[in-house]
């Protein structure tokens, strides 16, 4: 039987900055200045949507009641390496034309959104400056108030035309 190598293990720094590792069998060196540490793009998550101080869970195809005055969307990106340096961009498809640079802020604000379907997207940049390509997405819709619906507009048009016709008939009879 062959004797097993001794379990002596050690590491040391040399004057030129290299790190030397010694086992009972092998001596190895590493130059830390030549190591690349590029972090992977950070992922983003949408946490919640708050409409007029009422919180909604960020669920697919979320439905918001009519006439929300204030809308707040909370998002985040869990990063364990310098979370204070994570930057964000967001966009509300169906409303915004371009991406908003949010910096390190983790909330988006909108006021007086009209009824319709929207898709909120957010991306993040990690501390190494790498933007993720796959945006977190939240699809939601704002329901119209009764006076914003097509049937109400049609009803108002019919009543207006009926009143106009009644006024014409009344004038002709005089």
């Amino acid at each position: 039987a062959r004797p097993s190598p001794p379990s002596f293990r050690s590491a040391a720094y040399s004057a030129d900055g290299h790190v030397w590792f010694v086992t009972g069998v092998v001596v190895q060196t590493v130059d830390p200045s030549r190591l690349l540490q590029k972090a992977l793009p950070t992922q983003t998550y949408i946490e919640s949507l708050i409409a007029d101080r009422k919180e909604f869970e960020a669920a697919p195809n979320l439905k918001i009641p009519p006439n929300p005055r204030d809308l707040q969307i909370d998002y985040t990106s869990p990063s364990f390496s310098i979370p204070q340096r994570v930057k964000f961009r967001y966009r509300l498809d169906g409303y915004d034309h371009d991406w908003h640079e949010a910096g390190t802020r983790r909330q988006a604000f909108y006021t007086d959104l009209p009824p319709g379907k929207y898709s909120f997207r957010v991306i993040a940049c990690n501390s190494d400056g790498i933007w993720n390509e796959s945006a977190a997405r939240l699809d939601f819709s704002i329901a119209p108030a009764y006076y914003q619906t097509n049937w109400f507009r049609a009803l108002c048009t019919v009543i207006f035309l009926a009143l106009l016709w009644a006024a014409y008939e009344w004038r002709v009879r005089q």
Side-chain angles (χ1 to χ4, degrees):
R2 211 169 103 189
S4 63
S7 64
F8 173 76
R9 295 181 184 353
S10 180
Y13 289 104
S14 63
D16 61 358
H18 287 78
V19 180
W20 291 84
F21 296 96
V22 180
T23 67
V25 178
V26 179
V27 176
Q28 294 180 330
T29 183
V30 175
D31 184 359
S33 66
R34 300 191 72 177
L35 294 177
L36 291 177
Q37 289 189 347
K38 283 284 188 180
L40 296 173
T42 185
Q43 294 297 311
T44 51
Y45 300 95
I46 298 172
E47 297 177 318
S48 65
L49 184 144
I50 301 169
D52 295 332
R53 298 184 185 154
K54 183 179 178 189
E55 187 169 352
F56 296 89
E57 183 181 340
N61 300 316
L62 180 64
K63 303 216 183 309
I64 306 297
N67 296 325
R69 173 90 176 122
D70 299 309
L71 196 78
Q72 173 184 325
I73 302 172
D74 295 338
Y75 50 84
T76 191
S77 178
S79 174
F80 299 110
S81 63
I82 317 174
Q84 302 88 332
R85 291 184 52 195
V86 175
K87 295 180 184 171
F88 296 93
R89 287 184 188 151
Y90 65 85
R91 178 180 178 158
L92 184 59
D93 294 336
Y95 188 76
D96 293 330
H97 296 291
D98 296 315
W99 288 89
H100 291 277
E101 298 288 337
T104 59
R105 190 180 73 228
R106 294 168 188 257
Q107 296 170 323
F109 300 97
Y110 292 94
T111 56
D112 297 325
L113 286 175
K117 293 184 178 184
Y118 298 97
S119 180
F120 179 79
R121 296 185 293 156
V122 61
I123 58 175
C125 173
N126 64 17
S127 58
D128 289 333
I130 300 171
W131 288 94
N132 67 348
E133 298 295 323
S134 59
R137 182 177 176 161
L138 174 63
D139 294 326
F140 66 95
S141 62
I142 298 176
Y146 73 91
Y147 54 85
Q148 295 171 318
T149 61
N150 288 333
W151 67 263
F152 182 79
R153 290 182 185 129
L155 180 64
C156 288
T157 303
V158 167
I159 291 172
F160 176 74
L161 291 174
L163 287 173
L164 194 61
W165 180 79
Y168 171 75
E169 286 291 322
W170 179 74
R171 180 70 177 147
V172 167
R173 288 186 187 179
Q174 281 189 345

